[in-house]
Amino acid sequence: MRAFVFPGQGSQKVGMGVELAEASAVARAVFEEVDEALSHKLSAIMREGPEDQLTLTENAQPAIMANAIATLRVLEEDFGVKLAEVGDCVAGHSLGEYTALCAVGAFDLATTARLLKLRGQAMQSAVPVGEGAMAALLGADIDTATALAAAAAQGQVCEVANDNDPGQVVISGHKGAIERAIAMVKDHGIKRGVLLPVSAPFHCSLMQPAADRMAEALAETSPGALALPLYANVTASKVTDPEEERALLVEQVTGRVRWRESVANMHADGFASFVELGGKVLTPMIRKIADEAETASLIAMEHLEAFAKSM
């Protein structure tokens, strides 16, 4: 069985989608529809920058989604490979869960773009700039990372945000607590702690104001039926019910991204092939989690053509 997966924040870069847009009217239509939905020329920022504008959370989230959906639409419409016919489930990392829902028809493209822009704005404004931080713990498993976070908290928030793969865990919380955690990594047998260049402490309890805003938005915009099952970030389990998924999307804002467990569960459930659309961030993680699985990253037209020929 085959899983299609969608990348999260950090996979953006200036120039993303340019080759697809130049080669395919289908891709251009996706970028134009997102621009119209947001009343903002996001495609121009994706194409030309400046980089600091693209990395703004409210721009990066819909941009990464738009690039991945453009890649999917080109695969489906230009190469005739339909996700619902060749795939058996979907999953996405953080904002990628929204992309996955768009890919299986639970949200239309314009709705997904608007939800992600709001999500980016809400997450950015939940904590004043400079008060929060995130750090990647390299050479850490979930148990050592959890112990380190608890030791570094000292009355502040310091929580596991992303369990990415067997050797990489991300923590999130108050800046002081995250800095303490980085200083304490060797004491916990962790190779290294790296402060991440993010503007807010995502996926921790400090994001509750953002979760509240997303709860309001999703109350008015519930996902529709899913063409394929989705493995949700916060449970690492298969979801088919739109109402259950709506609640999980709210919980996801403050909850841990259980990516390692999601991939491990998919693999245990019989998924032997993983295809990343619009990025190559998740593929290396998947190889560390399920080293026997086949993986592919589809970014450029040549990747899509080769994948279509293999079907």
Side-chain angles (χ1 to χ4, degrees):
M1 292 194 293
R2 180 180 293 111
F4 282 87
V5 298
F6 300 88
Q9 198 158 338
S11 58
Q12 74 277 355
K13 64 176 183 178
V14 174
M16 63 194 301
V18 169
E19 184 202 353
L20 284 179
E22 289 176 347
S24 171
V26 173
R28 291 196 296 275
V30 169
F31 298 133
E32 288 166 5
E33 185 175 345
V34 170
D35 284 351
E36 185 175 345
L38 300 180
S39 301
H40 176 52
K41 286 290 281 185
L42 181 62
S43 62
I45 297 173
M46 293 168 66
R47 185 174 60 248
E48 302 165 4
E51 187 175 358
D52 62 345
Q53 287 297 306
L54 181 59
T55 55
L56 280 176
T57 303
E58 66 180 78
N59 290 332
Q61 294 200 19
I64 291 163
M65 180 279 297
N67 185 60
I69 293 298
T71 307
L72 172 62
R73 295 274 175 88
V74 171
L75 180 65
E76 291 192 321
E77 297 183 35
D78 288 351
F79 293 101
V81 179
K82 304 295 185 184
L83 180 141
E85 295 173 2
V86 302
D88 300 283
C89 83
V90 293
H93 191 283
S94 190
L95 78 91
E97 190 162 326
Y98 284 80
T99 315
L101 287 165
C102 182
V104 296
F107 292 129
D108 62 35
L109 177 60
T111 298
T112 310
R114 286 191 288 266
L115 283 172
L116 283 174
K117 186 174 182 67
L118 173 63
R119 184 176 181 269
Q121 290 172 333
M123 293 173 86
Q124 181 61 65
S125 62
V127 178
V129 174
E131 290 190 12
M134 299 180 75
L137 305 178
L138 308 180
D141 60 24
I142 188 64
D143 292 334
T144 55
T146 301
L148 171 62
Q154 298 180 21
Q156 293 185 309
V157 171
C158 187
E159 299 166 0
V160 172
N162 303 352
D163 180 9
N164 284 333
D165 65 41
Q168 187 199 105
V169 179
V170 174
I171 55 173
S172 182
H174 286 109
K175 186 177 182 182
I178 298 301
E179 289 173 343
R180 283 193 295 274
I182 292 172
M184 296 164 65
V185 291
K186 299 294 186 185
D187 298 337
H188 288 259
I190 296 169
K191 182 179 177 181
R192 191 176 168 210
V194 181
L195 199 65
L196 296 179
V198 295
S199 52
F202 306 132
H203 297 293
C204 75
S205 54
L206 294 175
M207 287 287 110
Q208 189 58 49
D212 294 341
R213 287 183 65 184
M214 291 311 297
E216 293 174 3
L218 289 163
E220 300 173 358
T221 316
S222 177
L226 283 64
L228 294 176
L230 174 141
Y231 280 71
N233 282 185
V234 295
T235 61
S237 300
K238 184 168 27 177
V239 181
T240 57
D241 176 31
E243 283 304 305
E244 180 184 359
E245 174 59 15
R246 174 162 62 171
L248 292 175
L249 287 175
V250 176
E251 188 179 339
Q252 188 218 57
V253 178
T254 57
R256 179 185 304 175
V257 176
R258 295 168 63 181
W259 186 251
R260 176 185 57 81
E261 293 173 84
S262 296
V263 173
N265 288 344
M266 282 186 272
H267 194 50
D269 289 344
F271 290 90
S273 175
F274 293 82
V275 181
E276 182 176 1
L277 286 167
K280 53 181 179 180
V281 177
L282 302 179
T283 304
M285 297 180 192
I286 292 167
R287 289 176 182 150
K288 293 177 183 177
I289 302 162
D291 59 1
E292 298 174 358
E294 294 181 359
T295 58
S297 299
L298 308 186
I299 303 168
M301 292 294 286
E302 62 188 278
H303 304 144
L304 295 168
E305 183 177 10
F307 182 76
K309 286 180 178 177
S310 73
M311 288 295 98

